[in-house]
Amino acid sequence: SHRFGAVAAGLGRLGWSGNLMTPQFGSAVFLATVLTSAEMESDPLIEEDPCDKCKLCTTVCPVEMVSNKQTMSVTIAGKEHSYGRKGHNARCIIGCAGYHGLAPNKKWSTWSPFRVDYPFSDNVADVIDLSRRVRSADPDRQGTRAFLTQRDKCFNPNETYTNTCGNCGLICWEKREDREENRRLLMDSG
């Protein structure tokens, strides 16, 4: 996991969304990995948590990927890190890949041209099946594999990957007042 590795390297902490949150840029960062045999020392872990648990990230996800109440945790470099409990990744694929973008309150949307029946089933198998069906029906994916991930894009630069959401990371800047303004802009403009 890039985000867990980034926490271990001292770049930031996990925000409520589970994304890496840095003191300088919030969660509006993108990560990549370089493999090397060079010996390196990590920076010390960041002690002060840049996430104030405002949970605005939970309000901008059209598929309600992250719980605003339940938590999960992971131990990184001997320290426990808690963040909002996530739904199955198929939810995120449906939302962030652009197959559903209408907010649960139906007052704003992402740039997605697609809409699926919502709310999703609580049954994980049903959500995975929905994710497979919408991807295989996508006219832009016809003649290619219906399941394309950012990993595929990394290993094949000729592949096209369209990410239409990512709101949880994009609205979460360093300062809370900026997060609130980003949320307002998204909801008032969509």
Side-chain angles (χ1 to χ4, degrees):
S1 170
H2 293 297
R3 58 198 170 103
F4 294 167
V7 170
L11 298 176
R13 299 267 304 261
L14 296 176
W16 185 262
S17 67
N19 294 322
L20 178 74
M21 188 165 184
T22 69
Q24 304 89 339
F25 306 109
S27 288
V29 296
F30 291 91
L31 304 169
T33 299
V34 174
L35 299 177
T36 179
S37 59
E39 290 190 29
M40 305 173 94
E41 280 190 42
S42 65
D43 291 335
L45 294 180
I46 292 181
E47 293 299 323
E48 187 175 337
D49 192 346
C51 179
D52 64 4
K53 310 296 185 259
C54 70
K55 301 180 186 175
L56 290 174
C57 53
T58 67
T59 68
V60 297
C61 180
V63 295
E64 299 178 311
M65 177 68 175
V66 181
S67 171
N68 65 356
K69 294 183 177 123
Q70 297 177 317
T71 62
M72 51 194 315
S73 61
V74 63
T75 302
I76 302 172
K79 182 175 176 107
E80 186 173 333
H81 299 266
S82 295
Y83 52 98
R85 182 169 200 78
K86 291 185 167 208
H88 190 277
N89 284 341
R91 280 181 176 268
C92 197
I93 289 168
I94 294 168
C96 288
Y99 297 111
H100 181 75
L102 188 61
N105 66 7
K106 298 183 176 162
K107 299 206 184 244
W108 60 269
S109 73
T110 65
W111 303 273
S112 170
F114 301 102
R115 299 290 181 263
V116 296
D117 290 336
Y118 196 81
F120 296 155
S121 168
D122 289 331
N123 182 317
V124 171
D126 291 342
V127 176
I128 292 170
D129 180 61
L130 174 61
S131 176
R132 287 183 177 143
R133 283 187 287 124
V134 297
R135 287 180 280 130
S136 66
D138 183 346
D140 292 332
R141 301 278 2 130
Q142 297 307 309
T144 64
R145 293 183 339 221
F147 182 69
L148 182 66
T149 66
Q150 289 173 332
R151 179 177 302 194
D152 295 322
K153 176 66 178 152
C154 291
F155 289 119
N156 184 351
N158 296 319
E159 288 285 1
T160 301
Y161 179 80
T162 304
N163 189 337
T164 65
C165 189
N167 293 340
C168 57
L170 295 175
I171 72 147
C172 190
W173 290 6
E174 171 194 5
K175 296 178 185 160
R176 186 177 190 149
E177 58 267 18
D178 290 335
R179 287 179 244 151
E180 291 168 350
E181 176 64 3
N182 290 344
R183 178 181 179 271
R184 185 195 68 73
L185 287 170
L186 174 70
M187 293 183 155
D188 288 351
S189 66

